[in-house]
Amino acid sequence: MNQENSMGIGVLSERTGCKVGTIRYYEQIGLLPDPPRSEGGHRIYSLEHLKRLTFIRRGRELGFTLDEIRTLLGLVDGGSYTCGEVKALTLEHLQEIHKKITDLKRLEESLTAIAAECEGGAASKCPIVDALFKSR
Amino acid sequence: MNQENSMGIGVLSERTGCKVGTIRYYEQIGLLPDPPRSEGGHRIYSLEHLKRLTFIRRGRELGFTLDEIRTLLGLVDGGSYTCGEVKALTLEHLQEIHKKITDLKRLEESLTAIAAECEGGAASKCPIVDALFKSR
DNA sequence: GCTACAACCTGTAGTCACTACAGGTTCAAG
DNA sequence: CTTGAACCTGTAGTGACTACAGGTTGTAGC
C-alpha cells in the first residue's frame, strides 16, 4: 500500500467518511465493484473506487436511497446518460423530500397543540394522555 | 362474538385501522396484553384492548416510537404518572421532529440548488452528476 | 528472524416497525 | 353438514446499515 493511488479499506474509510462495514456492505450488494486483493486477501482500492464511493456517500447525504443511487450510477456507467434523465430522478426525489417535510410539519403542529393543553404539573390527569386515548 | 363489548381480531382491526398482522405483532412484543382465547384458539378482545390499541395507534400517528409508547403506557399503567412526566416525553419527541424538519429543509435546499444548475437537456455532461462526484 | 499488535478477513445476527406468505384450523351462515 | 371467510402459527423479507465472534495478515520495532 505504498503507492498514493492505492489504499486499504481503512484509508478508503477515512477518506470518504464511510465506515469499513458499510464499504463491505456496498460491495456485497453490488454497488461498489469487487476490488482486487492482496495475496493475503486484503482489499486494495484505487482512486476509481474512491471516486465511486464518494458519489454514493454524497448521494446518501442528499437523501437518495441506495436503489436511486444504483440507478444513477447505472446511467453514469452506461456513459450515454442525459442531463434530462438525471434531473427527472432528482426532481422526483425532491418531491418525496417535500412530502416528508409537509407530513412532519403537520405532525409538529398537532403535537404542539396537544402539548399546549398540558400544564405539566404533578396532576395525574393529563390532556396529552387523554388525547392519545382518542382516535382522530 | 355476539356481545358488543367483545370482538375478534378482524373487528378490532377495522375499528382501529390497525392491520391484523400488526395487532399480533404488538402482542408478540408485549405492547398489547395477551387476550383470552376461544376454545378453538381465536383471540377475543374487550373494550379495554380497543382503548389500548387506539392509544398505541394514535401515538404512532403522532410519530412516537413503539419504545416511547411503551414508556407512556408504563406511566399510565402505573396509575401514578404525572402530567409533568408525560409532557417531558412529548417535548423531547417534539424536538426530534423539529430536528428532522430542519435536516430535511437543508437537504431540500442543497438539492434544489444543485438541480437549478441543470438544464435537463440531452447533454451528457450533467452538473448534478458532477456535484455527486464531489465531497462537501 | 521474531514478536506484538493493529488492521484486516468472513459470516452471522441484530436493529425498527412492520408486511407477506405458506400451510393448516376454526367459526358461522345457510 | 357443507362451504368459505376468518382465524391460527411460524418464518422470512424490507432498508441501510451496525456489531460481534473468532480467525488471519501486514508491518514496525528489536
Side-chain angles (χ1 to χ4, degrees):
Chain A
M1 228 59 63
N2 40 359
Q3 289 159 289
E4 66 184 45
N5 55 353
S6 133
M7 62 201 117
I9 199 168
V11 172
L12 183 64
S13 166
E14 265 172 41
R15 290 229 238 165
T16 54
C18 185
K19 292 197 184 173
V20 168
T22 307
I23 297 174
R24 287 197 277 248
Y25 170 69
Y26 288 162
E27 178 182 327
Q28 199 192 312
I29 61 168
L31 211 53
L32 202 58
D34 296 18
R37 303 281 188 129
S38 73
E39 272 190 40
H42 288 198
R43 290 168 177 81
I44 302 169
Y45 293 99
S46 66
L47 290 181
E48 266 311 300
H49 288 102
L50 175 62
K51 220 178 131 201
R52 197 178 181 89
L53 184 52
T54 303
F55 186 102
I56 298 171
R57 279 327 274 177
R58 189 80 181 102
R60 291 292 295 134
E61 279 171 14
L62 291 170
F64 287 98
T65 65
L66 291 183
D67 245 24
E68 287 167 333
I69 292 172
R70 196 192 298 275
T71 304
L72 245 19
L73 279 170
L75 290 176
V76 174
D77 285 346
S80 62
Y81 70 91
T82 65
C83 219
E85 291 171 314
V86 174
K87 186 157 190 177
L89 275 172
T90 305
L91 291 182
E92 211 173 301
H93 178 52
L94 257 173
Q95 267 193 335
E96 279 166 36
I97 292 175
H98 195 71
K99 182 171 182 314
K100 274 189 196 166
I101 293 175
T102 313
D103 289 352
L104 279 173
K105 273 190 185 162
R106 245 201 305 270
L107 211 64
E108 192 185 25
E109 214 175 307
S110 307
L111 211 53
T112 303
I114 292 173
E117 301 277 302
C118 175
E119 319 222 325
S124 63
K125 179 162 186 335
C126 178
I128 299 177
V129 172
D130 288 353
L132 282 164
F133 273 122
K134 288 190 189 94
S135 56
R136 278 185 308 185
Chain B
M1 228 59 61
N2 39 1
Q3 290 159 290
E4 67 184 44
N5 56 351
S6 132
M7 62 201 118
I9 200 168
V11 171
L12 182 64
S13 167
E14 266 173 41
R15 289 229 238 166
T16 55
C18 186
K19 292 197 184 173
V20 168
T22 307
I23 297 174
R24 287 197 277 247
Y25 170 69
Y26 287 161
E27 177 183 327
Q28 199 191 312
I29 62 168
L31 211 54
L32 203 58
D34 296 19
R37 303 282 188 129
S38 73
E39 270 188 44
H42 287 198
R43 291 169 177 81
I44 303 170
Y45 292 99
S46 66
L47 290 181
E48 265 313 299
H49 288 103
L50 175 62
K51 219 179 130 198
R52 196 178 181 88
L53 185 53
T54 304
F55 186 101
I56 298 170
R57 279 326 274 175
R58 188 80 180 102
R60 291 293 295 134
E61 278 171 15
L62 290 170
F64 286 97
T65 65
L66 291 184
D67 244 24
E68 287 167 333
I69 293 172
R70 196 191 297 276
T71 304
L72 245 20
L73 279 170
L75 289 175
V76 174
D77 285 345
S80 62
Y81 70 91
T82 65
C83 218
E85 292 171 313
V86 174
K87 186 157 190 178
L89 276 172
T90 305
L91 291 182
E92 211 172 300
H93 178 51
L94 258 173
Q95 266 193 335
E96 278 165 37
I97 292 174
H98 195 72
K99 182 172 182 315
K100 273 188 198 166
I101 293 175
T102 313
D103 288 352
L104 280 173
K105 273 190 184 163
R106 244 202 305 271
L107 212 65
E108 191 185 26
E109 215 175 305
S110 306
L111 211 54
T112 304
I114 293 173
E117 300 277 300
C118 176
E119 321 222 321
S124 62
K125 178 162 188 331
C126 177
I128 299 177
V129 172
D130 288 353
L132 282 165
F133 273 120
K134 288 192 189 94
S135 56
R136 278 184 308 186

